[in-house]
Amino acid sequence: MGYAIGVDVGGTFTDVVLSGTSGAISVAKCLSTHYDPIAGIVSGVTRVLGDRDPAQVTRVVHATTLATNAVLERKGARVAFVTTRGFRAAVPLGRYARVEEDRYDLRFTPPPPPVAPGDCFEVVERVSARGAVLTPLDPGSVRRVATAIAARGIGSAAVCLLHAYANPAHERRVAEILRETVPVVVTSSEVWPEIREYERATTTIMSAYIGPLMASYLSRLRERLAEIGIRAPVHVMESSGGVISAELAARRAVATIESGPAAGVLAAAGAGFADAISFDMGGTTAKTCVVRGGRPEITHEFHVGGKGSFGGRRAGTGVPIKTPAIDLAEVGAGGGSVAWLDPAGALRVGPRSAGSSPGPACYGLGGSEPTVTDANLVLGYLSSASIPLSPPLADKALDRLASPLGVSRAEAAYAVHEIVSASMASAVHVVTVQRGIDPRGFALVAFGGAGPMHAARIAGRFGIGTVVVPAHCGVASAAGLLSGALSTERVLSRLDAPDPEALFTSLAADAAADLDLDLTAPGVRVLRSVDVRFRGQSHDLTVDWSADRAALESRFFRRYAEVYGITQRGEIELVSYRVRVTTPPDGPPPDSPPADSAPRTASTGTPGSRRAYFPECGGYTEVPVHTRQTLARAGGTAPGPAIIEDPESTTVVPPAWTATLTPAHAIHLTRRTTP
C-alpha cells in the first residue's frame, strides 16, 4: 500500500495529512518551528507515519509560506537588476498606492524599492515590441556590468531587457556572460515572458530574490525526509493551485509566493458546492476566495508586500507579480492575533500575532498578551486543542483588557470575538460585494483551526444561509494539497500572432518539459487560453481559446460584462497566449474520507455540556457539546446554541442556526431565521 503526505506550514501550526488508497488515514497538528520550519515538518510527518514503513510513501506535497515571508520580511537574496540602457530607474521609481492609514499622513514615506538604485545596471541593446533588433547587444557593456556586480558582492541577478518577450536572444546572451561571475542569474524570458515592462521586471526580481532561499530550503527538506526513510519525490503547491516538482519550484520560485493559501481553496472547492466562499482562519491570518462553478477564481497579476485588506488585485499596494494565482483576500486576523488598546483607549485586534512562540497566553508557553484564542476560551467556545489550554492564564490575559475598558471579562472577550469577525468579514466583502458578487447565493466553507468558531457569525453578516465545515477541517489545507494535480502554466505575449497554433504547440512542449511529461501520455490535459482586450485599451481579460474568431469574441464580451458590469462590443486584439498542462499525480488517489476515518476524539459516546457565552441568550448559558461521533448518535442534528469539537478545531453553532452532520462527516450549518 502506498501513501501520500500533505504538509502545510503556517504561521502558528504545521499541519500534516497522510492519505492512502482508502482516503485520509492520519492527521497531525503541531506548533510551527520558526527557527527551522523543517523541524516542525519532520515532527508532524513522524507522528502521522506512526509504525508505518516510510519507504511506502510515494509522494510528499508541500505548501509553504517561505517565499511570502521572505518578501514581507525582506530576507531574500540581494539582487542586481540588469536592463536596457535608459531604463534602470524604472524599478526604483516603482508605483505605490496609499492605503487607509497612510492616506492623510503628511510624513508618509514610500516603502523601499525591491532593488536599491545603486544595484540597478544598464547594458547597451534595444529590441522593438515586435522583436526587431534596433540596437545590437554590446557584450563589452555586459562584462562591465558583470564586473560591477561582482565587486558589490551580489550573488543573484535579474535580467529584464526591454521587450524581451518578443525576442529573448539578447537576454540569453546577457545571462550567459553574467553566469561566468554571478552564481544565480534569472531572466524574464525564462520566468514569465509577458508584456508590461515594470510587472515583468518585478516578477523576475522576485524570482531572483527568493530563488536561492527556496532552493536551499527544498534541498534541506529532501535530506531531512531521507534521514527518516522517505525518499519519495517532493512536490510544491504553486500559487494557482497546481503542483510542481521541487526542482521546478526552486527554478521558478516566484510561482510559489501564494503556495500556502492556495491549498485551502482547493479543499473548499471540493466541498460539494459549485458556488462557495472559501474561509480559512488559522493562527496568524484569515483568507477568503470565491469558487464559482467548482473552480476558484484565478488572477494573472497579484501584489505582495503591501498593506490593506484589498486582496491581491489592488495595484500599487505592493510588488506586482505576473504569474497566475488563486485570487485571495487576506487579513491579519487569526487565533493568535493580539488584542490591544490604542492610545485613545479603543479596542483593536491584530494584525500582530503571538504566533507559535510564545503563542496565546492560554498555551502556557510564556505569552501573556490577550489573543483571539484566549477570548474564545474565556467565552467557553474552546475547551481543548492540539495542545493543552489553560483557562486561568486566558482569564488573566483578558483581565488586562476588561479593567481599563470598565467591562466584565466576558464582555471584553466577546468584543474581541466580534472585532476579529468583523475584520474577517471585510475580506469576504472584498472578494464578493466589492466585485459585484451577491454572496447570499454562496455557501461559506470554513476551515483552519479557528475558522469554524467564527464562520456562522460572519455568514450572518452577509445573509449567507449555509456554512459548511468539512471533515478534518482543522488540517484542510494539508488535505487539499493531495487533491492538486501536477500542473504548470506557460505564457508568451505576441500581439495578434499570425499563427496561434504554432505558439500553443511550442508553449505546451515547454510546459511538458517543465513537468518531465510526454504530452501523449494518458491523463495529460492541455488547456489553452488567451488574453484579449478591446483595441486601444490597456488591460486585458483571459478567456478560453477558440480558433473561431466569433466564438472567441463572444467569450470575451461575456467575460467583460461579468468583470465590469457593462455590455460592450468592438474590435478586439489578442495579447498573450497561455497553456496549462496537467496530469494526475502518481501515488494513491486523494479519496474522500470513508466513514470509519472520521475525526476521533476521547468521546464517551454521549454529548456533554458546558457554559458558553451567547449574548442572544443573555450571557453565559449551558449548551450541549458534541463530537462528530456523538452528533451522529444523537440523530445528526444539533440546534444552536451548541458546540461541536474536533481534535483540530471547534465549530460554534449560534442561536438561530442548526448543525447537521452529512454522511461524508461534514457539518452543515443552516440559518433557521431570515436576517
Side-chain angles (χ1 to χ4, degrees):
M1 179 180 184
Y3 301 104
I5 292 178
V7 180
D8 176 39
V9 179
T12 303
F13 286 99
T14 293
D15 300 337
V16 183
V17 171
L18 181 146
S19 174
T21 53
S22 61
I25 290 179
S26 183
V27 302
K29 196 176 191 73
C30 51
L31 288 171
S32 295
T33 48
H34 297 292
Y35 62 91
D36 178 12
I38 297 175
I41 293 173
V42 172
S43 174
V45 169
T46 302
R47 284 172 55 184
V48 297
L49 277 174
D51 58 359
R52 299 179 182 90
D53 182 4
Q56 290 188 308
V57 176
T58 60
R59 182 174 179 240
V60 177
V61 191
H62 184 23
T64 175
T65 56
L66 182 78
T68 308
N69 293 341
V71 174
L72 294 175
E73 299 168 11
R74 304 189 72 84
K75 290 183 178 178
R78 184 180 176 186
V79 177
F81 174 57
V82 181
T83 189
T84 303
R85 182 176 60 183
F87 291 88
R88 66 186 294 270
V91 168
L93 286 173
R95 288 196 292 271
Y96 189 79
R98 297 194 189 192
V99 295
E100 294 98 331
E101 60 265 40
D102 297 332
R103 198 161 290 156
Y104 304 106
D105 184 356
L106 298 180
R107 296 179 178 83
F108 169 74
T109 301
V115 177
D119 292 341
C120 297
F121 302 89
E122 298 177 347
V123 296
V124 177
E125 70 86 40
R126 187 67 179 264
V127 171
S128 76
R130 299 288 180 178
V133 175
L134 304 178
T135 302
L137 176 67
D138 176 8
S141 68
V142 182
R143 291 191 171 88
R144 289 191 293 274
V145 165
T147 301
I149 292 173
R152 286 175 169 266
I154 302 174
S156 188
V159 182
C160 183
L161 304 182
L162 199 66
H163 302 308
Y165 59 86
N167 182 350
H170 286 181
E171 265 198 1
R172 291 171 181 166
R173 179 57 181 150
V174 169
E176 184 181 326
I177 296 172
L178 290 179
R179 286 182 178 126
E180 296 172 4
T181 54
V182 181
V184 177
V185 179
V186 178
T187 67
S188 71
S189 52
E190 293 172 336
V191 173
W192 209 249
E194 190 174 358
I195 198 170
R196 299 193 188 285
E197 299 305 315
Y198 179 66
E199 288 80 1
R200 186 161 50 88
T202 54
T203 302
T204 309
I205 289 167
M206 286 297 105
S207 198
Y209 184 71
I210 60 180
L213 186 69
M214 181 65 73
S216 172
Y217 169 79
L218 292 174
S219 176
R220 289 186 290 111
L221 176 60
R222 285 194 296 263
E223 291 171 1
R224 298 279 288 278
L225 291 175
E227 289 174 2
I228 61 173
I230 296 177
R231 292 177 171 81
V234 175
H235 294 144
V236 178
M237 176 70 71
E238 63 172 3
S239 302
S240 62
V243 174
I244 56 179
S245 68
E247 293 76 15
L248 182 57
R251 295 200 313 269
R252 202 181 298 162
V254 72
T256 69
I257 285 181
E258 292 292 336
S259 164
V265 178
L266 294 185
F273 287 80
D275 295 331
I277 299 169
S278 165
F279 171 56
D280 178 5
M281 181 183 178
T284 306
T285 59
K287 298 161 281 286
T288 63
C289 175
V290 168
V291 176
R292 287 200 276 192
R295 297 171 60 181
E297 291 285 303
I298 300 291
T299 179
H300 289 95
E301 180 182 324
F302 62 100
H303 298 74
V304 296
K307 294 191 290 185
S309 304
F310 304 108
R313 287 185 187 176
R314 178 161 175 172
T317 56
V319 178
I321 304 294
K322 287 284 285 185
T323 61
I326 288 178
D327 194 4
L328 293 153
E330 183 171 345
V331 292
S337 294
V338 174
W340 51 285
L341 300 177
D342 66 15
L347 179 61
R348 308 275 185 167
V349 181
R352 186 168 63 87
S353 173
S356 60
S357 179
C362 61
Y363 284 9
L365 301 176
S368 60
E369 294 182 289
T371 67
V372 173
T373 296
D374 295 309
N376 286 331
L377 184 58
V378 167
L379 294 171
Y381 301 158
L382 279 170
S383 65
S384 62
S386 300
I387 63 174
L389 301 181
S390 169
L393 291 177
D395 291 346
K396 184 178 178 181
L398 265 296
D399 285 342
R400 297 177 60 177
L401 296 175
S403 180
L405 288 173
V407 298
S408 69
R409 180 190 301 151
E411 289 171 325
Y414 192 74
V416 171
H417 181 89
E418 281 284 273
I419 288 172
V420 79
S421 293
S423 177
M424 292 182 291
S426 69
V428 176
H429 186 276
V430 165
V431 298
T432 56
V433 178
Q434 193 167 302
R435 295 176 184 171
I437 299 171
D438 185 347
R440 290 174 294 183
F442 290 70
L444 185 70
V445 183
F447 51 95
M453 266 185 291
H454 295 262
R457 300 283 190 195
I458 292 170
R461 292 172 181 266
F462 294 94
I464 296 172
T466 301
V467 173
V468 182
V469 182
H472 302 292
C473 60
V475 292
S477 290
L481 288 168
L482 302 180
S483 67
L486 288 172
S487 176
T488 191
E489 183 168 323
R490 284 280 187 155
V491 65
L492 188 62
S493 290
R494 288 285 190 275
L495 295 177
D496 278 327
D499 188 0
E501 192 63 35
L503 269 183
F504 282 127
T505 300
S506 174
L507 289 171
D510 290 342
D514 287 338
L515 299 175
D516 195 22
L517 284 177
D518 180 352
L519 286 172
T520 62
V524 174
R525 298 176 61 210
V526 179
L527 305 176
R528 298 176 171 187
S529 58
V530 63
D531 293 353
V532 186
R533 67 188 182 193
F534 285 112
R535 189 171 296 278
Q537 290 194 342
S538 298
H539 298 282
D540 43 65
L541 296 171
T542 303
V543 297
D544 292 338
W545 167 251
S546 173
D548 183 336
R549 188 76 172 196
L552 190 63
E553 288 179 348
S554 177
R555 291 174 185 175
F556 172 68
F557 297 152
R558 186 165 58 250
R559 180 62 178 155
Y560 192 95
E562 288 176 359
V563 172
Y564 298 111
I566 59 173
T567 301
Q568 185 100 327
R569 295 290 185 273
E571 186 180 0
I572 66 169
E573 61 181 348
L574 312 187
V575 181
S576 298
Y577 300 80
R578 301 177 184 274
V579 162
R580 174 163 286 275
V581 173
T582 64
T583 184
D586 295 329
D591 298 333
S592 299
D596 61 358
S597 72
R600 300 294 180 186
T601 64
S603 171
T604 61
T606 57
S609 65
R610 69 167 175 265
R611 293 175 70 246
Y613 189 88
F614 290 95
E616 303 95 326
C617 301
Y620 281 107
T621 186
E622 199 75 14
V623 300
V625 178
H626 294 273
T627 65
R628 298 200 191 212
Q629 288 72 40
T630 63
L631 183 59
R633 295 186 185 102
T637 301
I643 294 171
I644 304 169
E645 292 185 333
D646 287 322
E648 304 89 20
S649 66
T650 297
T651 301
V652 172
V653 187
W657 290 79
T658 298
T660 305
L661 189 68
T662 72
H665 295 278
I667 298 169
H668 286 190
L669 304 184
T670 53
R671 193 177 180 91
R672 297 196 301 269
T673 58
T674 302

